Amino acid sequence: MLVNVEWFNKRTYNVSNSQLEKKFEQYNTLEKDKHDIRRIFQLADDQRKFEMISHIDYLLQKFNEIHENIKKEQIIAIEEWIQDIFANLSIFRNDKKVVDVLAALD
C-alpha cells in the first residue's frame, strides 16, 4: 500500500499571531518572554507554528513557574542580606550615627 506522503506534507496549518497573543494574555506573560517567543514564532514555518501553539500552554506555565521561583529566591536572599546587615551593624551600635540609623529603620 502506497501512502501519498506529499499530500500529508502539504496540508495547511492555520495559525495566526493573534492565537499567540491570546495565550500571552491568558498567562500574563512577561514582556521579555513575549518578545523572545514572538521572534521564534516569526522564524518558524507554518507547521512549526502549529506545533508551538499546540504546546504553548505548557511552555508559558513553565515560564511562570520559573519566574515565581526566581521571585521566591530573591525574597529569601534579600531577607538574608538584611539580617546580615543588621548583624554587622550591631558591632557598631555604640557609634551615635549607627544608632540613629537603626532607630530610623525601626
Side-chain angles (χ1 to χ4, degrees):
M1 176 178 167
L2 292 175
V3 176
N4 189 350
V5 178
E6 212 172 291
W7 170 83
F8 181 76
N9 290 333
K10 288 185 179 181
R11 69 181 168 175
T12 59
Y13 298 92
N14 194 9
V15 180
S16 68
N17 289 343
S18 63
Q19 289 173 295
L20 188 62
E21 296 302 321
K22 286 178 186 175
K23 292 295 182 178
F24 289 159
E25 287 178 27
Q26 180 182 348
Y27 288 96
N28 296 320
T29 307
L30 297 176
E31 283 302 318
K32 184 190 179 321
D33 293 338
K34 287 181 190 178
H35 175 72
D36 293 342
I37 293 170
R38 281 183 192 122
R39 287 179 50 203
I40 295 168
F41 199 74
Q42 287 174 347
L43 296 174
D45 61 18
D46 288 343
Q47 181 180 355
R48 298 282 187 244
K49 285 180 183 178
F50 179 78
E51 291 171 4
M52 283 179 66
I53 289 293
S54 300
H55 297 92
I56 199 76
D57 291 305
Y58 175 77
L59 178 67
L60 295 178
Q61 286 173 354
K62 285 297 178 186
F63 276 25
N64 285 346
E65 286 177 24
I66 290 167
H67 292 301
E68 286 300 316
N69 289 338
I70 290 171
K71 281 183 193 176
K72 288 175 186 175
E73 290 176 16
Q74 287 174 334
I75 290 170
I76 291 168
I78 290 170
E79 289 173 351
E80 290 174 356
W81 180 66
I82 290 171
Q83 289 173 0
D84 288 346
I85 289 172
F86 281 124
N88 290 332
L89 285 177
S90 66
I91 297 169
F92 302 108
R93 286 189 188 245
N94 292 333
D95 184 352
K96 175 75 173 123
K97 291 179 184 172
V98 173
V99 173
D100 290 343
V101 169
L102 291 174
L105 292 175
D106 285 338

